[in-house]
Amino acid sequence: MMALGLKLLLAHLLGEFVFQSKKWVDDKVAKKHKSKYLYIHLGVHAVLLLVFLNFQSNYFWAIGIILISHFSIDLLKIYLTKYVNHLYLFLADQFLHLLVLALVVGFYYPYRLSFEALFSSHHLLLIVALIFLSFVSAIIMKHVMSGFKFEENLSDDSLKNAGKIIGILERLFVFGFIVLGQWQVIGFLLAAKSVFRFGDLSRAKDRKLTEYILIGTLISFGLAILVGLIYLKLSEVMVT
């Protein structure tokens, strides 16, 4: 099962990202179904699938389904390019491609899904921790930092919601490092953030910005460390 899945995934990655140039993509968007590169792209996938599956006849029908679905998904993506956000379209496109591959693998090696295992205490604990570190902690940080009545001077080139996203990512990274037992990496993460923020701090006319950033960073890291320690402790309790 794993070998088949990896072969299909490798063929997809090579055909989609390695052997497809920007020229091909632009031509497909401009000419749509009339673009020769759409069919060349499909041919590349066909060759890769045949090679990785060793030309075995029992996989021919699966290759056919993958190619037909790939053509249909790509064509739909091309026609929706002008109407849908590129990021959403890219994610949906890749999700559908991978879903087809997963269904093909599932046909040869039926999946054994256990809802009891899916909703086990360990998995639920992990889900709770991730939700708290992302959505809940972001709201907590917003309320706590609003009490300092400080508005950072945001220029027009600042990304929308960048601070919120950075905070969520840093807490998830810290949590992951704690679970993996890599405490020393947290120090490097904190140092890296300080380096990137050095420009803002050096341009500050007073200590308010420095203090504001320091408080926010320490609270964010503190929440992540606290959640990580609680997660490890509860995981040990569940084992015993």
Side-chain angles (χ1 to χ4, degrees):
M1 177 181 182
M2 183 64 69
L4 176 59
L6 290 175
K7 288 178 180 179
L8 295 180
L9 181 59
L10 181 57
H12 172 74
L13 295 177
L14 289 174
E16 195 78 354
F17 301 106
V18 178
F19 298 124
Q20 180 176 212
S21 66
K22 186 177 184 299
K23 176 183 176 181
W24 292 16
V25 176
D26 293 340
D27 190 82
K28 289 192 296 182
V29 172
K31 299 180 181 178
K32 298 180 172 53
H33 65 280
K34 295 182 179 180
S35 173
K36 65 178 181 179
Y37 293 110
L38 176 62
Y39 304 97
I40 294 176
H41 174 64
L42 203 65
V44 170
H45 275 278
V47 172
L48 290 170
L49 288 169
L50 288 170
V51 170
F52 283 119
L53 297 178
N54 298 319
F55 294 89
Q56 297 181 30
S57 58
N58 58 316
Y59 289 128
F60 284 172
W61 74 269
I63 294 175
I65 290 178
I66 293 174
L67 293 177
I68 293 173
S69 66
H70 197 104
F71 175 80
S72 302
I73 294 170
D74 276 9
L75 198 60
L76 179 62
K77 177 186 176 183
I78 291 171
Y79 277 98
L80 292 176
T81 299
K82 294 183 179 180
Y83 308 102
V84 182
N85 180 281
H86 287 186
L87 175 61
Y88 298 152
L89 199 58
F90 170 78
L91 294 176
D93 172 69
Q94 293 305 313
F95 172 77
L96 291 175
H97 286 317
L98 296 178
L99 179 61
V100 172
L101 298 184
L103 292 175
V104 169
V105 174
F107 177 82
Y108 289 98
Y109 303 94
Y111 299 109
R112 295 180 181 178
L113 298 178
S114 173
F115 287 99
E116 183 178 352
L118 182 62
F119 293 102
S120 64
S121 298
H122 285 284
H123 290 161
L124 291 175
L125 178 61
L126 178 60
I127 293 173
V128 169
L130 295 179
I131 291 177
F132 183 86
L133 289 171
S134 53
F135 299 101
V136 180
S137 292
I139 296 175
I140 293 176
M141 291 291 301
K142 180 180 179 180
H143 286 291
V144 171
M145 300 308 294
S146 64
F148 294 98
K149 297 180 181 180
F150 176 80
E151 293 294 335
E152 186 175 356
N153 183 24
L154 298 176
S155 58
D156 294 335
D157 59 350
S158 177
L159 297 176
K160 184 179 180 181
N161 296 323
K164 178 181 178 181
I165 296 173
I166 291 172
I168 292 174
L169 290 175
E170 74 181 19
R171 287 190 293 274
L172 292 176
F173 276 121
V174 171
F175 175 77
F177 294 143
I178 292 175
V179 172
L180 295 174
Q182 301 297 319
W183 285 86
Q184 66 276 12
V185 185
I186 299 176
F188 288 107
L189 182 62
L190 182 59
K193 183 177 181 181
S194 300
V195 170
F196 284 115
R197 270 295 195 175
F198 178 77
D200 293 332
L201 299 179
S202 63
R203 289 193 301 268
K205 296 181 179 180
D206 51 41
R207 294 183 301 176
K208 288 185 178 181
L209 179 59
T210 304
E211 293 169 345
Y212 185 82
I213 294 175
L214 183 59
I215 292 172
T217 298
L218 292 177
I219 294 176
S220 181
F221 274 67
L223 285 172
I225 292 173
L226 179 62
V227 173
L229 292 175
I230 293 175
Y231 174 83
L232 291 177
K233 186 62 177 179
L234 292 179
S235 296
E236 293 176 1
V237 173
M238 291 177 184
V239 173
T240 58

